Amino acid sequence: MSTQKLLPGILCPADLRRLPREALGQVAAELREEIVERVSRTGGHLASSLGAVELITAIHYVFDTPDDRLVLDVGHQGYPHKMLTGRRQDFDRIGQLDGIAKFLRRSESPFDHFGAGHAGTSISAALGMARAMLHQGRDHVAIALIGDGGMTAGMAFEALNHAGDLQQKNLVVVLNDNEMSISPNVGALSTFLSRKMSKPMVRRAKGWAKDFLGTLPGDMLHWAHKAEESLKVFFSPGLLFEALNFRYVGPIRGHDLDALLETFENARQMLRNGEGPVLVHALTSKGFGYEAAQQDPVKYHGVGAFDRASGAFRPSKPGPPKYQDVFADTLIRLAREDERIVAITAAMADGTGLSRFAEVFPDRFYDVGIAEQHAVTFAAGLATEGMKPVPAIYSTFLQRAFDQVVHDVCLQNLDVTFAIDRAGVVGADGATHQGFYDLAYLRALPNMVVMAPKDENELARMLRTAVEHPGPAALRFPRGEGVGVAPDPEIKPLPLGEAELLRDGDDAAIVAIGTMVHPALEAAAELAAEGVSVAVLNARFVKPLDAARIARLASRCGALLTVEEHAGSGGFGAAVLEALAAAGVRVPVRCLAIPDCIVEHGNPDQIKGSLGLDAAGIAQAVRTLREQE
Ligand SMILES: Cc1ncc(C[n+]2csc(CCOP(=O)(O)OP(=O)(O)O)c2C)c(N)n1
């Protein structure tokens, strides 16, 4: 290995392609070194990016990027891609306000052909690009790089099915198979792809075939050889992809640059020969090359800052429990009382806290893979038979399953409890992960109950309310820690649709929902010091809304402010406006909410502050509102 560093001289893949093949090992080593070093300081997606270093390097080396389009699924493994495409120096501010994103955005680089953050989109997008190239007479190819986790998303199969049907000649799908999603991957496909299962089976099958061949005379041997071939295919993971009209290549060693270069060159040649689409199946290890991450890829999937030498994380400051843990612990308590309760996650067992539930009730826990749509309809099916399913899905990922919520749950008025985590501003994960739209898309639905707790105690009470409610009900709660209230010994359900007056006042009213209730109380205290008396109502329910109470309060106080950590269009404030209009209440009203724009990554408190969604912003909004009276 040369002592001179190569990465500083690589500002784009064309620079990489000027290097001799023998230099690529050093490039990969430097990439890995730099990813560990940078992420140990800033936090980010570590294990997935380490596992994809050789794959991404080899793809950029063999294919003519950016004219050939590389599309990364999710984008969380894309740090080597960002480093090879001119963004090495920007890593110090990854996920921070005005810094580069942790995922992919078209606006960030001409090498990011498709924005991503949600799984399962890469093959569809790459197929669209490949098709466009044909329409426009461009002689280039599209390459989708997708993990075995991403491959559990239904959309990935929809795209494979379509690409196979089109016999798309300029498309390569690279399956980065490390047997991991965030947690160990699940599902029959995962088992099918798994070398652990297939290798001994193939070996045994080959052994039988050989013994059998030895007993055959003359021309029967020719047919028998063919049979041996089919047997190999039958026992190889390629069967599935070949059946979908893909040429299957693999499995290959995904950290062996020689093997990768040769395979991608062959794949490119196959496309030139008109033999596409091609699927390359590469076996990799998540966290490869950094011992701590390789040993525990779940822990090092997405990390905060850590000590590079030991792999140890900074001890977290003792604080209130996280909402996700309060949710999971409450569900465990409720499940002890009611054996109809089952919990469902779509590949987010740790993130939703449900891994705790799985430990206590392994038989009543389902990880369905990255399959939010299936998770919801599976829950609907369980509910038709009298079970009480609780799918826990992040707000941003539930967007995927909108029609399943409408068609399969709400129209049939089925007893499904939606625990919607990461609702509101998420911080470093950025625009693709913000949970801004759930109130709007849920409150429009018949039969649906929609709630948001002001603190962790109310979360527990809402969960009981939702589970006991005989129809569909949703509760949305934020990322991170609760506010630190002492836990109620008993979890009492809430009266459906009843708001809670937390502070009375005469000059104006604030009606807040969820995370905005406590800042609203602080704002009211600040205004009281200025001699302005402000009432604060905790709405608790977005649907059914406590409309009569809100109308009375608005009429009495003469001015009303709604506050929510959610998009203004169609959200909680919009529901209040509809209710006031219906009641014929005419007072000045303002709705404080996320504006109709894309909110990028950054520190959540900073973002909320900049949008006026904190005590100071709420107080200011009340002052402005009173000026309109
Ligand atoms: C629709 C959707 N659901 C859930 C997630 C959360 N998520 C991010 S990465 C990931 C695992 C991806 O696994 P895989 O594709 O195998 O990549 P690896 O990290 O193993 O390289 C999950 C579940 C997501 N990004 N999108």
Side-chain angles (χ1 to χ4, degrees), residues 48 74 76 117-119 147-150 176 178 180-182 286 301 346-348 370 372 397 400 433:
S48 312
V74 188
H76 67 309
H118 290 198
D148 56 305
N176 173 11
N178 54 24
M180 296 291 293
S181 193
I182 291 181
K286 204 161 167 168
H301 175 88
M348 303 302 287
I370 308 178
E372 290 79 7
F397 300 144
R400 278 277 163 99
H433 285 57

Side-chain angles (χ1 to χ4, degrees), residues 356-370:
R356 294 171 180 240
F357 185 96
E359 273 172 32
V360 185
F361 297 111
D363 297 338
R364 290 159 67 182
F365 165 78
Y366 295 96
D367 179 351
V368 300
I370 308 178

Side-chain angles (χ1 to χ4, degrees), residues 318-326 329 356 456 480-485 487:
K322 289 184 174 162
Y323 277 104
Q324 69 208 41
D325 294 335
V326 176
D329 291 345
R356 294 171 180 240
E456 50 275 43
E481 290 176 355
V483 299
V485 292

